Amino acid sequence: MFWILLLAFLIFILWFYFFFTKKPLTVTPRVPVVSGRLPFIGCGIDFIKNPKQFLLACIKQHGETFQLHLFGFDLIFTFSREGLAALYQIRENEASFTEATRTLLQLKLPPEATTGSMTMFHRGFRKRLFDGYLFHINNAIANKLSELDSTKGTFEIFSFMKELVHRIGFLCWVGQEAARVDYLRRFVADFEELDPEKGFQNLASLSWTLLSRKRNEYRALKDMEDVLKEIWLEREKRGEHVDDNLTSLHEMYADLSEAERYRKVALNVFQFHLASQANTYAALSWTFINILQHRRLCDEGLMRDVTRADGRTLDVDVLDEMNFVDDVVDESLRLAQQSITLRKVVRECQFEKYRVPKGIYLATLLSITNSAVAETEKSANEFWPFRQRRDPSDTRVSTFGHGFHACPGRRFALAIVKVFLVRALTRFDFTPQFREVCIPPGSVGAVARASHPCVVQYRVKEQ
Ligand code: HEM
């Protein structure tokens, strides 16, 4: 017994030694390495406190490409034009988006919730299904606005938009049944339990997730699966065939056993909602905030887009004509994007002029690269929706990504913003109850949330 314990202890010491004193991986030719003073943690604490400020300091000291060693990970950060072009062009089988995303999410989520392919997203955004989504987007927005008090009142922008995008999302990924109050309430509660946004903002909650071996997360997934199964069985009982995303998912997994199919469908519904919720409600909030704060600047363009669309069916053609809103969303995202573009090297490969080993991560931070705009009229940190259209080959500024992993949900997200603006601005006058809206300094990983509540007052327009 003694020898077994001694052996276990020695193995633990060896593991501890190698894990915590792991030397940074090396790229050839070498790049400057920022590894901090603490073993294992490396420069992690400085990075977490304020990623943008920390990386700007690194750029100043080491140039546009360098390596960070933090929490046992090695990341090559690049900010040069060539480096960014290479990052967006690198192949999935060399440096993987999916593997990098999985590494980030697996702290919070059950492993099965972090696996899957992009096929379901591409199938999910087929034209035929998209028309159905537009129907739900229109209805959900009309319903949400009709719940506002009949003359005037206030709401907090980010929480209002979050609720709205929850409602829209579940209607689109699941179907009309998600409008049922009891179903929607369960979907939202289950999603909130699983949402990595909550986990990463609150270290206590993340620790509980790990200590409890993700018990609540497994329970939430199971509950989501139960509701979806109930919905599907009710449809079968009625002999109803609905041409929507839920049917499409069931068709995609027709070869699996019934139990596996229900599980896969639930995982995919969750993944759709996760991909959507990560950025869409914040994008909608920032666009709305910028319009409220720059009303005079936007008035003419909005009058053109919104007035032209008002009174018409808001279908794909009408929404595609709203070019000024496209520019406002683009500029709002440019300023609010905090995403890290991250790829995990899955086999040794060439990245720009470097030979990079397996296991290293390639990265950039959009809140830094997105200031690469011509400053002819306005500085890069000001909201100015009249900037010159960017050259598509220039990948420095990114709102919905570039290359192989550019966002498949772009049109969907834009449709939500446009329908909301047409319905809200034609019916209400809004007065912001805030002055400046700040991005929290530690914000990283998606379109920013605001550091303080952003309350707006609304009043129904006189006819
Ligand atoms: C305004 C809202 C949104 C913004 C700003 C946004 C932004 C982005 C960005 C920047 C990327 C590229 C990531 C990278 O290169 O590492 C991306 C990829 C992706 N987005 Fe979005 N997104 C939004 C909405 C959505 C929605 C609604 C969905 C689906 C429901 C979605 C699904 C995805 C997926 C699946 C990818 C990965 C694509 C691939 O790897 O091929 N996004 N998004």
Side-chain angles (χ1 to χ4, degrees):
M1 186 64 182
F2 171 77
W3 293 109
I4 295 175
L5 281 177
L6 186 67
L7 188 66
F9 181 68
L10 285 175
I11 291 173
F12 175 74
I13 294 287
L14 275 176
W15 171 82
F16 187 85
Y17 177 79
F18 282 116
F19 192 69
F20 284 93
T21 60
K22 209 171 74 154
K23 296 270 173 300
L25 292 166
T26 44
V27 301
T28 4
R30 298 201 62 154
V31 291
V33 179
V34 184
S35 58
R37 275 184 297 256
L38 297 170
F40 180 70
I41 290 171
C43 56
I45 305 281
D46 290 334
F47 179 82
I48 282 178
K49 268 197 267 173
N50 190 330
K52 181 174 176 184
Q53 198 182 59
F54 177 69
L55 289 171
L56 282 172
C58 291
I59 295 172
K60 205 163 166 197
Q61 200 178 347
H62 303 290
E64 288 182 315
T65 303
F66 49 86
Q67 180 173 343
L68 294 194
H69 186 63
L70 49 86
F71 301 120
F73 294 100
D74 285 291
L75 299 102
I76 302 284
F77 266 92
T78 187
F79 296 93
S80 72
R81 195 178 181 130
E82 300 72 28
L84 291 169
L87 181 62
Y88 289 113
Q89 273 160 22
I90 201 154
R91 296 251 161 209
E92 180 70 10
N93 61 5
E94 294 187 324
S96 165
F97 166 89
T98 318
E99 284 304 315
T101 311
R102 187 173 301 152
T103 309
L104 287 180
L105 295 183
Q106 68 190 7
L107 271 179
K108 167 75 183 162
L109 294 177
E112 54 182 337
T114 65
T115 56
S117 78
M118 287 298 147
T119 319
M120 63 132 184
F121 284 107
H122 297 292
R123 273 177 68 99
F125 284 119
R126 277 170 300 165
K127 163 128 186 34
R128 220 182 58 226
L129 295 184
F130 198 85
D131 290 341
Y133 299 158
L134 273 184
F135 170 82
H136 289 311
I137 292 173
N138 272 287
N139 278 350
I141 290 175
N143 289 339
K144 181 88 179 143
L145 291 175
S146 69
E147 284 165 16
L148 292 177
D149 207 80
S150 58
T151 47
K152 63 177 183 168
T154 59
F155 60 81
E156 200 286 316
I157 295 177
F158 281 81
S159 21
F160 183 87
M161 302 307 187
K162 186 175 192 182
E163 251 180 60
L164 174 62
V165 179
H166 268 317
R167 206 184 284 192
I168 293 174
F170 284 116
L171 278 168
C172 294
W173 323 134
V174 177
Q176 190 56 45
E177 293 91 336
R180 250 180 67 172
V181 177
D182 54 338
Y183 284 160
L184 183 63
R185 203 174 288 145
R186 272 168 79 182
F187 280 135
V188 172
D190 292 337
F191 180 81
E192 296 279 332
E193 191 61 68
L194 289 156
D195 190 2
E197 180 185 337
K198 178 179 147 203
F200 292 132
Q201 273 170 3
N202 180 343
L203 282 184
S205 123
L206 191 60
S207 314
W208 174 246
T209 298
L210 296 173
L211 282 174
S212 67
R213 300 168 77 193
K214 306 180 184 165
R215 198 172 58 215
N216 291 343
E217 287 75 7
Y218 276 108
R219 192 209 45 73
L221 261 182
K222 177 73 180 74
D223 191 60
M224 214 179 242
E225 185 185 331
D226 290 346
V227 190
L228 287 164
K229 184 172 173 184
E230 202 174 308
I231 290 174
W232 187 250
L233 290 176
E234 280 169 13
R235 278 192 197 181
E236 283 192 333
K237 207 158 105 193
R238 292 195 299 269
E240 200 175 90
H241 177 89
V242 190
D243 194 11
D244 64 5
N245 187 52
L246 188 64
T247 304
S248 163
L249 290 175
H250 275 276
E251 282 167 1
M252 196 160 103
Y253 297 118
D255 291 346
L256 299 182
S257 73
E258 206 170 76
E260 283 175 319
R261 177 160 51 91
Y262 285 126
R263 188 66 173 173
K264 270 283 187 196
V265 168
L267 290 169
N268 284 186
V269 165
F270 165 69
Q271 287 163 339
F272 262 107
H273 203 60
L274 178 63
S276 166
Q277 208 66 10
N279 287 307
T280 310
Y281 83 84
L284 175 57
S285 304
W286 284 107
T287 306
F288 188 49
I289 286 170
N290 282 325
I291 287 175
L292 297 182
Q293 289 189 316
H294 303 275
R295 201 57 217 255
R296 270 218 205 117
L297 196 69
C298 295
D299 238 12
E300 197 187 321
L302 278 179
M303 282 300 284
R304 211 174 41 235
D305 278 5
V306 168
T307 322
R308 196 195 292 144
D310 187 33
R312 295 166 68 186
T313 308
L314 297 182
D315 57 19
V316 178
D317 294 332
V318 173
L319 298 182
D320 280 353
E321 284 170 14
M322 297 177 67
N323 296 328
F324 180 71
V325 175
D326 282 326
D327 293 342
V328 175
V329 176
D330 188 68
E331 181 69 351
S332 303
L333 284 175
R334 186 185 71 77
L335 292 166
Q337 258 293 12
Q338 309 291 303
S339 269
I340 288 194
T341 303
L342 192 67
R343 308 284 183 262
K344 182 174 184 177
V345 177
V346 286
R347 69 161 197 237
E348 189 185 298
C349 62
Q350 195 67 26
F351 169 62
E352 211 216 335
K353 55 187 181 224
Y354 304 101
R355 197 76 200 150
V356 288
K358 182 178 169 184
I360 214 161
Y361 291 79
L362 310 174
T364 197
L365 184 70
L366 300 195
S367 51
I368 293 182
T369 58
N370 278 2
S371 54
V373 286
E375 296 198 2
T376 39
E377 289 153 310
K378 291 282 168 192
S379 78
N381 55 12
E382 279 179 88
F383 174 80
W384 186 248
F386 309 104
R387 295 186 193 276
Q388 270 175 3
R389 291 259 156 173
R390 290 187 294 273
D391 168 4
S393 68
D394 182 353
T395 53
R396 284 175 303 169
V397 173
S398 165
T399 52
F400 285 99
H402 299 284
F404 299 120
H405 298 288
C407 181
R410 178 174 177 275
R411 281 189 104 196
F412 177 81
L414 284 172
I416 295 178
V417 178
K418 289 174 179 177
V419 175
F420 177 81
L421 291 179
V422 174
R423 297 295 175 232
L425 296 179
T426 48
R427 184 147 165 232
F428 299 97
D429 287 316
F430 293 99
T431 317
Q433 306 292 292
F434 51 87
R435 278 176 187 277
E436 229 189 314
V437 187
C438 298
I439 295 176
S443 174
V444 70
V447 176
R449 282 50 171 161
S451 54
H452 297 291
C454 302
V455 176
V456 65
Q457 190 183 63
Y458 63 87
R459 186 183 287 273
V460 176
K461 279 186 197 263
E462 285 171 19
Q463 296 301 320

